Amino acid sequence: MQKQLLIIIAGLLLGLSTTLAAAAEAITSAEIIRQAELIRDQALQESEAYAIVEELTMLVGPRPAGSAGDKAAVVWAEEMLRSLGLANVHTEAVTVPHWDRGSLAVQTISPYPQLLTATSLGGSIGTAERGLQAPVVRVADVKELAAIRGDELANKIVFIDKHMERRQDGGDYESTVAGRGCGPMLAEQRGALATVIRSVGTSEHRVPHTGSMSVGGNVAGIPAVALSNADADILAYQLQRNEPVTLSIFSSARSLPEEQSANVIGDIVGTDKADEIVILGAHLDSWDQGTGAIDDGAGVAIISAAAKLILDSGIKPRRTIRFVLFANEEFGLSGARAYAKAHETTIDKHVVGMEADFGAGAVWNFSSQVDESRLSLVQRIAKVLQPLDIKYGNNEASGGADISPLRAAGMPILDFVQDGTHYFDYHHTPDDTLDKIDRQALNQNVAVYAAAAFIAANSNEDFGRLTIKKPDHWSCDALTNK
Ligand SMILES: [Zn+2]
């Protein structure tokens, strides 16, 4: 009797475990897709995203690394993730640089005096109290600057006059941003006193675009500013007349001691594959001129609202889905590096990464970088995104900056390309405010991230691993050595 009972119990247990296995198996196919479609459609109806970016921009506002706004953002974000119902919500300390732009005045003083609208570049130093005055030398772009070998720039102000084109994929940013990143250092190495650039951006408003510049390279740093496009036109016109133009710059920009900030992290804990992590990232910091709505309040809102929708589905994912709001992307990727270091021993457990850091425009293209043998899983995700007018691109995606250290260590990535036609009208300007965000397009993004994360976290198969790359040692010297 007892033996029979044991057999029955054992049989029941066996049956139960077979049923559980079957359930896990079942959700790998039609059910995962059906649930992902439900989550996608729910997001299109409404999500928390707009309310999240509204609160962040209206209550916290600008939050450059090391500022009081940065600290307030960390407190806000931890509370926000907790209120959504995420597990393990915590902060991980990140040391960040702290730079303050102070005040700035830029004007042509001869032969045609005009005040110009400008902003200091992140990392630039200030001038003496009386400012600096010097003749201006124009170069078309940073390559022309890098090619200069003589001393023609000694004691001059260099003007880098590269226009950036408006494109759907934002593709002209890459070729223009080196002027901001490397221009000041290259100019200083050639004896220039200061650098003025045409803004790296496509704004037609009289607003300059800020952003970071490289410091180091055996030089101490020089004052460096960006003119609004309209003001760059004024300076370019005056220079075209072949008369020497003298510019005056006063800046009180300065670096302050490093500060403490934090990555803010929350999880949806997985079930049978809980140790495997699907990571969604965005950056919490912003530049100081606007309120960081499109860069990157939108990304914070997109991934956080995606978390809420997955939680609301009531289905526990098999893998853990982790949401990371990174510290200081803008001024040196401090948060990205700190995360990769703190999680060094489990990097190979990060099965795939997705990052939202290109504003709030609708997604129109989906690319990936996964092991070639796992493209069928990518195709299943693409099929769920297809009704949102999203085409699959290729398997050569490069992904965002904050997940780049994880990608270099072999983590596959999914890349959702947003419409960036107007992104660089606002990027890093005082115009980066909430009114630039379209609620419907924002929700379309939430639909994409939530559905993709849900499929990635529930599928039997993963995305394989990428070849581990050496850390990127590209530097501004590469421009000179070409
Ligand atoms: Zn950004």
Side-chain angles (χ1 to χ4, degrees), residues 283 295 329-330 357:
H283 68 86
D295 188 14
E329 186 271 346
E330 296 291 1
D357 185 15

Side-chain angles (χ1 to χ4, degrees), residues 5 15 19 24 61 69 97-98 110 115 127 142 156 198 204-205 231 279 281 298 324 409:
L5 190 63
T19 316
H98 188 201
S110 74
L115 277 172
T127 62
V142 72
K156 303 281 183 0
R198 176 182 287 275
E204 288 162 359
H205 294 180
D231 290 271
I279 183 170
V324 184

Side-chain angles (χ1 to χ4, degrees), residues 283 285 294-296 329-330 355-359 402 423 427-428:
H283 68 86
D285 67 306
I294 63 158
D295 188 14
D296 185 25
E329 186 271 346
E330 296 291 1
E355 181 171 337
D357 185 15
F358 197 54
D402 278 319
Y423 181 68
H427 184 248
H428 299 183

